[in-house]
Amino acid sequence: MSKTILVTGASGCIGGWVVKNLLEQGRRVVAFDLHPENLRKLLLIMPETALAKVKVVAGDVSKLDDVRKAFSCNVAQVIHLAALQLPFCKADPARGSLVNVVGTQNVFQAAKEAGVKRVVYSSSTAVYGSAADYPGATFDHWSPLIPKSFYGAYKQDNEVCAKVWYADEGIASIGIRPFVVYGPLRDQGMTSTPTSAIKAAVKGGSYEISYGGQAEFQYADDTARAFIAAADADFTGAACYNLGGGTVHMERIVAAIEAACPQAAGKITFNPAPLPFPRHNDTGELEKAVGKIAWTPLEEGIAQSAEIFKKL
């Protein structure tokens, strides 16, 4: 537990919560980020005295020498989260591939050179296809990968390359595929609007969430702890797992927001059109690999998020 752990993309939503949890565990953290000034966002979820303990390395994950610089800080573990999300990959596929694919290969290469034998990285359920691609519009750990976007294709490429890194170089890895992550610091991506709705509700404002239907929602704090559990697991091979958490309907999301923010009752709505993704059947493969993961009930996670936003 005393080993220094590198977190790439530390100013992002999952990255920020990973840093918070690691610091609370008394761990030494190196935060690697293209825009280190954005780490100030983490003050939303932690005090400045905690953030001051983080060693910050500025750099571009698509540049190998920058990544090597981060690994030179006596790093023994790595959680790789730096990535461009779906809308940015669609807008600039070349840059998206540099960050998401070349960047991930750079992390594995730098890990090899630094003697780090395990890599934990973020993949995505975007590696799966649309609901129409699967019987019963449902997928699980064993379902075929049929990405429909550049982002999903890049993530699938990383999963395949991770297997080659293990076969050729002995670098083990665990990839985790989150679905809809919500909570403070979630401010980007096509599924981020439920979190924006919580912020609007805290101020008593109106907001329409951009989609409806059912989806699997994961509180950012729980998601971060799952990545840390993977980093601490004693594993070999190269595997990727779907993150569980539970499927809920958007009506329940809105009800939870209104319960946490009564001043916004009747002001939070949603577009009834569902996301074009199949429903996840969680077979528990991640927990079999890394141990039990504690899940915050949806209503509690939304209430906690609202309380954090109220502090602003």
Side-chain angles (χ1 to χ4, degrees):
M1 288 297 186
S2 63
K3 296 177 180 178
T4 298
I5 186 163
L6 169 64
V7 181
T8 75
S11 70
C13 176
I14 299 174
W17 283 91
V18 166
V19 170
K20 177 182 187 293
N21 276 275
L22 290 171
L23 291 173
E24 289 176 348
Q25 294 174 11
R27 313 281 282 271
R28 295 194 296 270
V29 179
V30 175
F32 180 77
D33 206 275
L34 179 62
H35 300 291
E37 65 276 8
N38 287 346
L39 289 168
R40 299 291 298 176
K41 294 192 300 183
L42 274 57
L43 296 177
L44 178 63
I45 60 173
M46 70 178 71
E48 190 150 11
T49 52
L51 186 58
K53 297 178 181 178
V54 176
K55 180 174 180 58
V56 179
V57 177
D60 185 338
V61 74
S62 69
K63 298 178 179 178
L64 179 56
D65 283 345
D66 285 3
V67 181
R68 285 170 170 152
K69 182 172 60 175
F71 272 88
S72 71
C73 301
N74 199 31
V75 166
Q77 297 170 283
V78 57
I79 297 178
H80 171 47
L81 302 168
L84 289 180
Q85 296 197 38
L86 194 151
F88 306 105
C89 293
K90 183 176 181 179
D92 190 346
R95 178 62 181 165
S97 65
L98 276 174
V99 173
N100 291 5
V101 180
V102 175
T104 300
Q105 305 319 303
N106 286 342
V107 168
F108 274 87
Q109 178 65 35
K112 171 192 169 184
E113 295 173 1
V116 176
K117 293 298 185 181
R118 297 186 180 99
V119 172
V120 172
Y121 66 96
S122 177
S123 187
S124 170
T125 50
V127 298
Y128 293 102
S130 60
D133 292 320
Y134 303 99
T138 301
F139 75 98
D140 62 21
H141 175 76
W142 311 106
S143 297
L145 308 185
I146 316 171
K148 303 290 188 179
S149 64
F150 286 120
Y151 178 75
Y154 300 151
K155 292 297 188 178
Q156 182 182 15
D157 184 87
N158 289 337
E159 293 183 21
V160 174
C161 287
K163 295 180 184 298
V164 178
W165 276 104
Y166 181 69
D168 285 2
E169 304 292 348
I171 307 297
S173 63
I174 288 180
I176 297 178
R177 306 182 187 116
F179 203 100
V180 180
V181 177
Y182 74 93
L185 301 182
R186 181 72 203 279
D187 55 9
Q188 291 184 8
M190 65 177 293
T191 60
S192 64
T193 51
T195 299
S196 298
I198 300 172
K199 288 191 283 188
V202 165
K203 297 185 288 185
S206 300
Y207 192 88
E208 181 179 78
I209 298 169
S210 60
Y211 56 94
Q214 299 185 82
E216 193 156 31
F217 285 81
Q218 295 137 350
Y219 187 34
D221 194 20
D222 299 341
T223 303
R225 285 186 276 107
F227 275 90
I228 295 170
D232 289 337
D234 185 10
F235 62 91
T236 57
C240 199
Y241 304 103
N242 301 326
L243 187 63
T247 299
V248 299
H249 195 280
M250 191 59 72
E251 291 176 349
R252 184 175 167 190
I253 299 286
V254 172
I257 293 173
E258 291 183 343
C261 307
Q263 68 274 20
K267 297 181 180 180
I268 305 300
T269 59
F270 61 90
N271 184 328
L275 294 169
F277 308 129
R279 180 170 177 169
H280 180 218
N281 175 31
D282 183 15
T283 57
E285 304 306 316
L286 176 60
E287 289 190 304
K288 293 175 187 176
V290 307
K292 185 69 176 176
I293 297 171
W295 296 106
T296 303
L298 177 78
E299 287 75 13
E300 184 178 337
I302 287 178
Q304 289 179 13
S305 299
E307 286 302 312
I308 292 171
F309 286 133
K310 287 174 185 178
K311 294 177 183 178
L312 291 176

